[in-house]
Amino acid sequence: MSSVITLLTDYGLEDGFVAACHGVIAGIAPQARIIDVGHLVPAGDVRRGAAILAQTLPYLPAGVHLAVVDPSVGGNRRPVAVEAGGRVFVGPDNGVLSWAVRAAGGADAAYEITNRELFLANVSPTFQGRDLFAPVAAHLCAGRAVADVGPPMPVDRLVSLPAPTCRLRDGAAEGEVLSVDRHGNVQFSITATDLAEIGVRLGDTLAVWLGRRQVAVPYRETFTAVPPGDLVAFADSAGLVAMAINAGDAADRLGLPPGAHVRLSPGR
């Protein structure tokens, strides 16, 4: 197993939660190199965590990928380890791993984590990231076989978030708000390739339907291509269409939460 552990949580940076997980990993696998994917996922937002992990995965070395966005911590959701594409994903079986597992080529094997020998001596029901998930990830990084974590389970029993919707019809691209970042930029489930297929090119105006509202937005290469305070659409670093306000918050102005339906078409 690679010596890399990546770590994604909704723990924030104000408290010692992330440091505690780092410390547990260092105590078990001192050779591990930890890459912090992020810890500012909105509290309990499994969908946002899944999107961040899946979109970051192509740039991460293979290793153990630990994601803990776990609003049902202490409940009856399973802790799991999933092998996919030469990587191991560790976390709660609530869908937070599912998009990244799919991006890695799909699950090859899955195991329910039950082996208490790999946990800390005392497992808090409210901090399993520190007491269960971090030590399991560290033991895997240190050379324990994935099968040691617990019994195998059918991969089709893993909880999977619905794939983001996107379809092209009647000269338009229909999709949804996939995520909103800390700057208020709104990412859609529609790709730049989708826009090209409906005839939208850089420099064009894009008609954006938000429910019954329609706004005309310039489609540019970056948000700085418009004056401060103006809306702009662009292809983001994941190749997905996003909307932003130069030096502003598009999500707040437009009232677009994750999951909201959108329709994009060439503007007039």
Side-chain angles (χ1 to χ4, degrees), residues 68-86:
V68 188
V69 180
D70 195 12
S72 297
V73 61
N76 58 5
R77 60 91 186 99
R78 292 178 297 254
V80 294
V82 183
E83 293 181 294

Side-chain angles (χ1 to χ4, degrees), residues 174-191:
E174 296 183 356
E176 62 184 289
V177 175
L178 185 56
S179 66
V180 176
D181 69 17
R182 63 187 299 269
H183 301 288
N185 300 330
V186 181
Q187 182 188 62
F188 301 143
S189 59
I190 299 167
T191 69

Side-chain angles (χ1 to χ4, degrees), residues 9-34:
T9 76
D10 60 351
Y11 291 160
L13 299 174
E14 298 87 355
D15 303 294
F17 304 135
V18 174
C21 292
H22 275 247
V24 167
I25 291 169
I28 295 169
Q31 83 289 356
R33 180 161 62 99
I34 303 174

Side-chain angles (χ1 to χ4, degrees), residues 12-257:
L13 299 174
E14 298 87 355
D15 303 294
F17 304 135
V18 174
C21 292
H22 275 247
V24 167
I25 291 169
I28 295 169
Q31 83 289 356
R33 180 161 62 99
I34 303 174
I35 297 176
D36 289 293
V37 177
H39 302 292
L40 298 178
V41 176
D45 192 341
V46 173
R47 181 186 172 93
R48 176 71 174 143
I52 291 173
L53 184 59
Q55 293 176 23
T56 309
L57 190 70
Y59 309 98
L60 297 174
V64 180
H65 304 287
L66 173 57
V68 188
V69 180
D70 195 12
S72 297
V73 61
N76 58 5
R77 60 91 186 99
R78 292 178 297 254
V80 294
V82 183
E83 293 181 294
R87 303 169 184 263
V88 178
F89 298 85
V90 174
D93 185 26
N94 61 6
V96 69
L97 305 175
S98 60
W99 290 351
V101 167
R102 187 181 302 134
D108 299 311
Y111 303 86
E112 183 173 358
I113 299 173
T114 59
N115 184 356
R116 298 189 67 87
E117 293 181 2
L118 305 182
F119 307 169
L120 295 192
N122 297 305
V123 178
S124 166
T126 59
F127 198 0
Q128 293 185 359
R130 176 195 64 194
D131 300 341
L132 186 158
F133 292 117
V136 165
H139 281 295
L140 293 175
C141 186
R144 290 293 291 262
V146 183
D148 288 348
V149 305
M153 56 180 287
V155 296
D156 60 5
R157 286 184 57 205
L158 291 167
V159 174
S160 183
L161 297 180
T165 61
C166 179
R167 60 179 176 176
L168 306 183
R169 66 175 185 176
D170 301 329
E174 296 183 356
E176 62 184 289
V177 175
L178 185 56
S179 66
V180 176
D181 69 17
R182 63 187 299 269
H183 301 288
N185 300 330
V186 181
Q187 182 188 62
F188 301 143
S189 59
I190 299 167
T191 69
T193 301
D194 295 329
L195 284 193
E197 289 192 23
I198 62 172
V200 177
R201 302 288 185 270
L202 280 173
D204 290 349
T205 297
L206 191 62
V208 182
W209 296 84
L210 312 169
R212 295 185 177 181
R213 294 179 296 155
Q214 181 187 6
V215 293
V217 181
Y219 183 49
R220 301 292 186 264
E221 191 170 28
T222 179
F223 46 82
T224 58
V226 298
D230 282 7
L231 277 167
V232 64
F234 61 100
D236 70 9
S237 60
L240 296 169
V241 179
M243 282 181 59
I245 293 176
N246 187 6
D249 188 320
D252 182 62
R253 180 184 295 185
L254 298 172
L256 283 179

